[in-house]
Amino acid sequence: MQNTATNNIKPDCSDFRSVARALTVVENDLQGVGELLKSLTFVKSAPIIGITGPPGAGKSTLVNTLITGLLNNGNKIAVLAIDPTSPFNFGSLLGDRIRMAPHFNHPDVFIRSLATRGSLGGLSAKAIEMTDVLRAAGFDYILVETVGVGQSEIEIAGLADITLLVLVPESGDEIQNIKSGLMEVADAFIVNKGDRADADLFVNNLKKLQKTDSGLPVFKTVASKDIGIDKVIGFIRSNAGKKNSRKQLLLAEKAYRIIQQKRMADIDKKKLQHDIAKALEEPGFNLYKFISPLTP
């Protein structure tokens, strides 16, 4: 019965139940997931907008205001909000929904939370496949909010067409880390909570850091008060149809993540943790010897 139901799923943004069912099949690797993914067809060229940045930058609040700005002319918006998972109890708060509450019952907004399930980067291992389900469903815009865990946020480059890096005025000490990685994958900087002290100084420093007049745009916003959001919306709309010069790199990154996930499918992380705990009881534990049977 489950297999028959799975085979009949065709995600369509006009029927959110079909989208939710397809995402559940993909997220949990239910029977028929391979056939479902291979049957996806992409009629619309919906831009995937990645919103990333350090914790506390106001990403969820920004996403909430972006949804409001993009909702016009019958547009349908999908949001995939990725929350961190505890490496100890494997639980996740999935708290992004709290800040997006105004759009819960909107007929044109679909919101799905997703736990990283142990992924140390900004993306869940299932995020790529689930985003493709949303693309195939025919949404006009797809927003993906990542965990925000530092330089590993570069993973978003393998998923998004437009990457927005959200910072706050107090992020000045992090610029050196940002420069060596995210500068290469971000399409725009957003200095949120721009009503705080030294916001203008931080904006100017970001512009100077790029050392070129044709550098990435820097937007100052106060998402909680809907200030400066119109310029970000304009940037998204004007860049939605542009050809991505990193397309081959991004597709290769997507393929790598999917292959990595499939090859690791037989590794039970909880069992691995249990086996390591047992092995640690023996003197002279060597991690590399321990994993050698798993890495021929």
Side-chain angles (χ1 to χ4, degrees), residues 10-266:
K10 183 176 176 59
D12 190 325
C13 65
S14 63
D15 177 14
F16 282 0
R17 288 186 178 181
S18 69
V19 179
R21 287 173 60 208
L23 290 174
T24 297
V25 169
V26 171
E27 182 180 6
N28 297 290
D29 270 326
L30 300 183
Q31 188 175 10
V33 61
E35 291 74 15
L36 170 62
L37 289 170
K38 285 185 280 189
S39 70
L40 296 178
T41 54
F42 307 102
V43 178
K44 281 188 178 180
S45 180
I48 300 171
I49 301 137
I51 294 93
T52 189
K59 297 186 293 296
S60 297
T61 304
L62 178 69
V63 169
N64 186 60
T65 55
L66 289 178
I67 293 171
T68 302
L70 292 171
L71 274 175
N72 60 9
N73 301 322
N75 282 339
K76 289 188 177 291
I77 314 295
V79 179
L80 190 62
I82 305 173
D83 276 304
T85 301
S86 167
F88 303 106
N89 60 25
F90 300 98
S92 184
L93 180 60
L94 300 179
D96 296 296
R97 291 180 171 224
I98 298 172
R99 296 172 183 86
M100 301 178 200
H103 295 105
F104 273 175
N105 297 319
H106 197 291
D108 295 327
V109 180
F110 179 88
I111 301 174
R112 178 76 170 228
S113 295
L114 175 65
T116 56
R117 297 189 176 186
S119 172
L120 295 180
L123 298 179
S124 160
K126 281 294 182 181
I128 295 172
E129 294 171 353
M130 293 175 72
T131 304
D132 279 337
V133 169
L134 296 174
R135 287 178 57 222
F139 287 96
D140 296 285
Y141 293 95
I142 300 169
L143 306 178
V144 180
E145 180 195 339
T146 72
V147 175
V149 288
Q151 191 146 336
S152 54
E153 291 159 355
I154 292 172
E155 286 186 1
I156 191 64
L159 180 66
D161 299 304
I162 301 171
T163 301
L164 305 177
L165 173 57
V166 186
L167 301 167
V168 289
E170 295 83 1
S171 301
D173 293 339
E174 301 175 8
I175 286 185
Q176 292 305 316
N177 292 328
I178 294 167
K179 179 173 64 174
S180 56
L182 284 173
M183 283 284 191
E184 300 175 11
V185 298
D187 295 295
F189 293 102
I190 298 177
V191 179
N192 194 31
K193 305 182 182 180
D195 52 350
R196 291 183 176 180
D198 296 329
D200 290 331
L201 177 62
F202 184 58
V203 168
N204 289 332
N205 286 341
L206 275 176
K207 292 178 179 178
K208 291 177 181 177
L209 189 63
Q210 299 180 70
K211 299 178 182 178
T212 172
D213 294 334
S214 59
L216 303 178
V218 181
F219 301 104
K220 187 176 72 168
T221 66
V222 184
S224 60
K225 299 178 182 178
D226 198 17
I227 297 174
I229 304 300
D230 54 338
K231 293 182 179 180
V232 180
I233 295 291
F235 175 81
I236 291 172
R237 286 178 173 157
S238 63
N239 285 272
K242 285 188 177 180
K243 186 176 179 180
N244 194 328
S245 60
R246 303 189 303 265
K247 191 67 173 180
Q248 291 181 351
L249 172 65
L250 303 188
L251 286 176
E253 182 70 14
K254 281 187 180 183
Y256 181 86
R257 295 291 175 187
I258 293 171
I259 293 169
Q260 182 184 54
Q261 172 193 315
K262 299 301 181 186
R263 290 187 177 182
M264 291 288 289
D266 61 335

Side-chain angles (χ1 to χ4, degrees), residues 274-289:
H274 177 270
D275 292 344
I276 287 178
K278 187 176 180 180
L280 279 171
E281 296 176 1
E282 300 295 328
F285 171 76
N286 184 303
L287 178 64
Y288 306 100
K289 286 183 180 179

